Amino acid sequence: MDMKETKIQYLLHLADNALILGQRLGEWCGHGPVLEQDIAMTNISLDYIGRARLLYQYAAELQGPDSTEDQLAFLRDEWDYKNCLLVEHPNVDFAYTVARQFFMDAFQFPYFMILCSSNDKRLSSIAEKTVKETAYHLKWSAEWMIRLGDGTEISNQKIQIAVNDLWSFTGELFESSPYEDQMIKEGIIPDISAIKDQWFSKIQEVFERAHIVKPSSEWMQTGGKSGQHTEQLGYILASLQYMQRAYPGLVW
């Protein structure tokens, strides 16, 4: 795989993470537990969709004039998506959404901070915009982890159940794919292992304040970065891609 193709695969990984998580958060629109948080999750969703667009646009430019951001977002098959399994996990309830978001935010904030120093100027500029958004996302999700964990007996139970169920999907965040390995070797992106300690430190800090017990299992789910997904991604794409597949070339 040459460097251009490697970079395209990497951009798709980041873009797919943003698109699918944005879609999941968008499912809360009109269904949030309170109006303020309904709006907050919708705004965070828009941040992710905006980030996905920037990344898809860059990938499409590298692929050539016949490629567009819409084709990359809406016309690829399930096995072509490279998002982590964590982001495609169903919302289930508000606690699951908060826990999933916190795990991703705690990872993405230090990751994009380092990516700001990338020797790829286009990537670094996207990272700089992303860091500003992710700082708010992490504040929001961490505060809700603490509010639920340190709230009532029922809210503590719900966030603990969500953490227990989602924990096995967090290992993939630190599993480096072949396209990431090559980008790391070229000094274009940060070594994922370099932020693992920061991630764990943030997790432990919030868990202690929220009275959440860290799961003891070390077994982790993987596969999303190489196109092996849960059945949930198929359901997401069926909804996300319907209009483009039913009416090819449709534009607003």
Side-chain angles (χ1 to χ4, degrees):
M1 189 184 299
D2 62 25
M3 182 48 65
K4 185 173 82 167
E5 182 58 29
T6 297
K7 187 175 290 187
I8 290 170
Q9 297 300 305
Y10 173 72
L11 290 169
L12 291 177
H13 161 61
L14 293 185
D16 293 343
N17 269 345
L19 179 69
I20 300 304
L21 187 51
Q23 179 75 1
R24 276 294 186 224
L25 288 168
E27 291 172 3
W28 277 104
C29 186
H31 302 281
V34 293
L35 180 60
E36 182 182 1
Q37 299 312 316
D38 186 307
I39 295 171
M41 287 185 286
T42 302
N43 283 335
I44 295 173
S45 172
L46 291 174
D47 288 341
Y48 274 97
I49 299 302
R51 183 192 312 172
R53 289 197 63 193
L54 293 174
L55 293 161
Y56 283 135
Q57 287 166 4
Y58 189 11
E61 289 174 20
L62 292 176
Q63 283 192 334
D66 294 331
S67 180
T68 68
E69 60 175 300
D70 285 346
Q71 289 174 330
L72 293 176
F74 301 124
L75 297 177
R76 286 184 296 144
D77 292 317
E78 180 181 343
W79 50 84
D80 293 324
Y81 281 74
K82 304 183 184 306
N83 59 276
C84 293
L85 299 176
L86 178 61
V87 301
E88 65 196 50
H89 197 284
N91 287 319
V92 182
D93 60 22
F94 185 62
Y96 271 82
T97 298
V98 168
R100 183 188 61 209
Q101 192 64 38
F102 174 62
F103 287 146
M104 287 299 297
D105 293 339
F107 170 79
Q108 291 186 121
F109 182 70
Y111 185 85
F112 282 105
M113 280 288 289
I114 300 175
L115 193 59
C116 288
S117 301
S118 172
N119 57 26
D120 182 311
K121 298 304 181 185
R122 183 81 167 268
L123 260 179
S124 66
S125 66
I126 294 173
E128 287 172 3
K129 179 179 185 299
T130 298
V131 163
K132 296 174 184 177
E133 297 170 345
T134 306
Y136 164 72
H137 301 166
L138 179 57
K139 181 177 183 293
W140 181 87
S141 60
E143 286 179 352
W144 269 106
M145 289 288 289
I146 295 167
R147 290 177 72 177
L148 292 175
D150 193 33
T152 66
E153 181 180 350
I154 292 177
S155 69
N156 178 272
Q157 288 175 353
K158 284 184 173 292
I159 196 64
Q160 184 68 64
I161 289 171
V163 165
N164 292 346
D165 284 356
L166 294 174
W167 185 255
S168 64
F169 293 94
T170 61
E172 187 180 20
L173 298 174
F174 303 98
E175 182 182 71
S176 187
S177 63
Y179 49 85
E180 287 174 303
D181 288 336
Q182 194 170 345
M183 295 279 280
I184 292 169
K185 188 180 298 184
E186 295 294 327
I188 302 174
I189 67 171
D191 186 342
I192 301 174
S193 62
I195 64 171
K196 192 169 186 177
D197 288 344
Q198 294 181 59
W199 184 83
F200 271 113
S201 177
K202 187 64 177 179
I203 295 298
Q204 289 177 330
E205 173 198 334
V206 171
F207 277 12
E208 287 176 6
R209 293 182 62 189
H211 308 293
I212 295 170
V213 178
K214 183 175 94 54
S216 58
S217 175
E218 296 182 1
W219 180 81
M220 294 291 166
Q221 297 268 9
T222 61
K225 290 183 177 182
S226 60
Q228 300 174 43
H229 297 281
T230 69
E231 66 178 357
Q232 298 301 328
L233 183 62
Y235 296 125
I236 298 172
L237 295 181
S239 173
L240 184 66
Q241 297 183 344
Y242 173 77
M243 292 298 289
Q244 273 296 326
R245 291 193 180 275
Y247 305 97
L250 181 70
V251 295
W252 292 105

